[in-house]
Amino acid sequence: MAPFGKIYSYPGNFRVQRAQVVANINGLEVEVPADFAMESTKTPEFLAKFPMGKIPAFEGADGFCIAEGAAIAMYLAGSGPKAQQLMGSVQDIQKRARISEWICFAETELNPQVLPAFVMCVLKYMPFNEASYNNANNNLERALKRVDQATDGGKKQFLVGEELTMADIMVSGPLFFGQGFLIDQKMRDAAPGAIKYLDNLAAMPEFKNVFGEIKKCETRVAAP
């Protein structure tokens, strides 16, 4: 298989793992260099390709470069034989819109809740802000209940239609990640259908081969 491209990032980035799931489904060989140095994002060479100096960043074998986790995953989704399954057919505009809705949900309702808590309480790169922490927890609980509702209490295997789409891949990433430190047993008990849905996805080879075993915390991380 000819290399399709590389994704530059730090290890264990769920935004990259989502893209890896997509690449595997589409049969695309995408490398994630293990020796990538974060300092290189400030170099003229990196900034010439990715002006914002952000990761994840994708560089294709053909020279095409794109940043932003969702954009990378969507590019990979549209670049292989499973594009219609992952993104919906051009003819079914409503299905494509529904998939896009869930992609936006992941980026605006999930990522902004799990990432600040991780940075404040786990990495401790930012001062702890109790109001932001509580707001993130409340918003995440609300978002989980939305997933619970959409899956009919866990009876539905996928968010859109009867097969795996980008909706599932994009939503599951931050929720897999968040279960390790923020989505505790109490929060899981309040949305059992959403957790059943996530557990079913995690058991699929497409996810398991990339994410491995999903860690679940009993009690959410607290103020440092």
Side-chain angles (χ1 to χ4, degrees):
M1 187 191 312
F4 188 75
K6 298 179 180 180
I7 301 177
Y8 304 110
S9 181
Y10 55 82
N13 186 340
F14 71 82
R15 292 169 292 183
V16 174
Q17 291 170 313
R18 296 186 304 190
Q20 289 178 289
V21 171
V22 175
N24 291 343
I25 291 171
N26 256 338
L28 304 173
E29 183 181 327
V30 175
E31 180 187 357
V32 182
D35 59 350
F36 177 72
M38 290 296 295
E39 294 78 10
S40 64
T41 60
K42 300 180 176 66
T43 64
E45 293 79 11
F46 190 89
L47 292 172
K49 299 173 183 176
F50 310 102
M52 293 298 290
K54 294 173 61 177
I55 54 159
F58 172 85
E59 182 175 11
D62 61 357
F64 178 71
C65 294
I66 188 169
E68 303 295 345
I72 293 168
M74 291 171 70
Y75 175 65
L76 297 177
S79 297
K82 299 291 187 179
Q84 184 166 299
Q85 172 190 329
L86 292 168
M87 297 297 295
S89 70
V90 176
Q91 292 76 23
D92 193 344
I93 189 66
Q94 290 189 355
K95 182 175 181 180
R96 288 176 69 89
R98 189 65 69 196
I99 292 170
S100 295
E101 179 184 33
W102 282 110
I103 292 172
C104 293
F105 175 86
E107 299 306 286
T108 61
E109 297 292 341
L110 298 179
N111 291 4
Q113 317 313 331
V114 301
L115 290 174
F118 184 70
V119 173
M120 287 190 297
C121 301
V122 180
L123 297 181
K124 301 178 183 178
Y125 285 170
M126 290 173 52
F128 179 76
N129 183 295
E130 185 175 2
S132 296
Y133 176 80
N134 291 336
N135 187 58
N137 285 330
N138 292 336
N139 288 338
L140 190 55
E141 288 175 359
R142 179 170 176 262
L144 266 179
K145 290 177 181 177
R146 173 70 184 100
V147 175
D148 192 282
Q149 177 191 45
T151 59
D152 192 17
K155 296 176 184 176
K156 287 181 60 180
Q157 187 175 3
F158 305 112
L159 289 171
V160 182
E162 302 301 322
E163 58 185 354
L164 181 70
T165 70
M166 285 294 288
D168 306 295
I169 296 170
M170 298 301 287
V171 165
S172 63
L175 293 180
F176 286 161
F177 178 65
Q179 288 191 82
F181 63 97
L182 193 60
I183 302 174
D184 58 10
Q185 190 60 53
K186 181 179 179 181
M187 197 181 294
R188 293 195 294 270
D189 287 344
I195 302 306
K196 179 181 178 181
Y197 157 76
L198 291 170
D199 288 345
N200 288 337
L201 289 181
M204 296 175 66
E206 294 92 334
F207 291 89
K208 196 174 185 64
N209 292 340
V210 174
F211 285 94
E213 294 292 332
I214 304 302
K215 297 179 180 179
K216 296 183 180 182
C217 66
E218 286 300 310
T219 304
R220 69 187 60 167
V221 65

